[in-house]
Amino acid sequence: VESFMIASRRCLRAMIAHCWGSEPTGVTRMSDNWVYQDEHLLVMNKPAGLLTTPGRFEKKCLWSWAKAIAPSAQVVHRLDLDTSGLVMFGCSLQGVSGLNRLFRDRGVDKVYDAVSFGSIGRDRGRIRLPLGPDRLQRPKQKVDWRHGKPAETEFEVVHSGENQVRLVLKPISGVRHQLRIHLASIGLPILGCDLYAPRPVRLASPRLLLHARGLSLPHPVTAVLCPVTAVTAVSTPPESGVSTGVSTASESGVNAF
């Protein structure tokens, strides 16, 4: 499986400075995980396997890295442990309150890249399946038509090979594990997923092939709209022969655009 590639930081800084009207600070501390910083917010690129916030036993987390760059950084946005990609932190009272409002009111457009096992007979669509906790298999979620929270995901197929599909995902809602369980529910489990993929699919990749590639939002203080993209789309891995013992689910819950 090809690794994710880091995009040009110089072009990214110039794009954000043009849109948001300020040059990012902290350039001398820039690393592969640093994307953008101004007085109100910080954007970082979380690697897979790193917590966003401290766990009960594991204290190493992206928030600690963020506070080393901006001591006032506060968490307003999270990604699952196994998911990589863009995470935003608020760095001022205006930044924190503005970002909290934007995420709460669904004012942030998110774009993810994923590589799944299976095939689907359409190029794009929308998945609407309500989700709730699976109390018998924590920490898993499940489709729950009676008590689940409404959840909606747009998807577009950008590459399809034998038993593998590369997709761009746009979550409309933000329910826990939404992208993983939505894709698994229509027969497209994500490669490397340890919760919702059959064993051959889980073992087909050393990590979950789900990456938060883009965020588009108005700046929480200036309200100037700007997309933030730190990493190129994932590359479709070589055909891995993971079809043994894996069945394809129906496309119930999927609507074409």
Side-chain angles (χ1 to χ4, degrees):
V1 178
E2 295 183 24
S3 63
F4 299 123
M5 300 179 291
I6 305 301
S8 167
R9 292 303 196 281
R10 182 177 300 174
C11 292
L12 178 63
R13 292 200 306 271
M15 178 190 71
I16 297 177
H18 174 74
C19 292
W20 281 346
S22 63
E23 289 291 341
T25 59
V27 174
T28 58
R29 294 173 295 212
M30 185 175 63
S31 69
D32 284 348
N33 303 102
W34 184 95
V35 177
Y36 174 79
Q37 180 188 3
D38 64 28
E39 62 180 309
H40 300 294
L41 60 86
L42 171 67
V43 185
M44 297 194 71
N45 187 22
K46 187 184 87 67
L50 180 70
L51 293 167
T52 301
T53 55
R56 183 177 178 184
F57 301 107
E58 177 58 62
K59 302 306 178 185
K60 181 181 178 181
C61 64
L62 188 69
W63 190 18
S64 297
W65 295 6
K67 288 192 289 187
I69 297 173
S72 61
Q74 296 296 316
V75 177
V76 297
H77 169 219
R78 292 173 174 83
L79 290 178
D80 290 341
L81 171 70
D82 297 326
T83 304
S84 62
L86 295 174
V87 177
M88 281 197 167
F89 297 89
C91 298
S92 69
L93 290 176
Q94 289 176 294
V96 171
S97 62
L99 289 172
N100 278 330
R101 182 184 68 254
L102 286 166
F103 280 105
R104 182 186 67 242
D105 297 342
R106 298 183 182 178
V108 180
D109 293 329
K110 308 170 189 175
V111 178
Y112 289 73
D113 293 317
V115 180
S116 291
F117 168 80
S119 61
I120 188 168
R122 62 191 70 192
D123 292 332
R124 60 182 62 200
R126 192 185 303 259
I127 305 167
R128 296 184 181 94
L129 294 170
L131 304 176
D134 187 336
R135 303 189 187 283
L136 299 180
Q137 300 186 78
R138 295 180 183 274
K140 295 177 72 173
Q141 299 280 99
K142 66 178 182 179
V143 176
D144 186 343
W145 292 99
R146 186 172 182 182
H147 301 294
K149 294 181 180 179
E152 185 174 346
T153 303
E154 294 179 359
F155 69 86
E156 180 178 357
V157 176
V158 294
H159 177 84
S160 129
E162 183 180 353
N163 289 330
Q164 287 185 1
V165 182
R166 174 180 160 189
L167 306 109
V168 172
L169 308 172
K170 296 181 180 180
I172 307 303
S173 50
V175 181
R176 186 182 187 191
H177 297 171
Q178 174 179 321
L179 300 180
R180 291 204 260 179
I181 194 170
H182 268 181
L183 289 181
S185 296
I186 64 167
L188 294 175
I190 300 175
L191 297 184
C193 181
D194 62 345
L195 292 176
Y196 305 104
R199 188 171 185 272
V201 179
R202 183 176 77 245
L203 298 179
S205 170
R207 57 148 297 185
L208 176 71
L209 293 188
L210 179 64
H211 181 77
R213 188 232 307 175
L215 294 170
S216 181
L217 69 159
H219 190 281
V221 176
T222 67
V224 176
L225 183 65
C226 183
V228 181
T229 305
V231 186
T232 62
V234 301
S235 296
T236 304
E239 308 302 338
S240 52
V242 294
S243 59
T244 304
V246 179
S247 60
T248 301
S250 68
E251 294 180 18
S252 175
V254 183
N255 298 309
F257 285 141

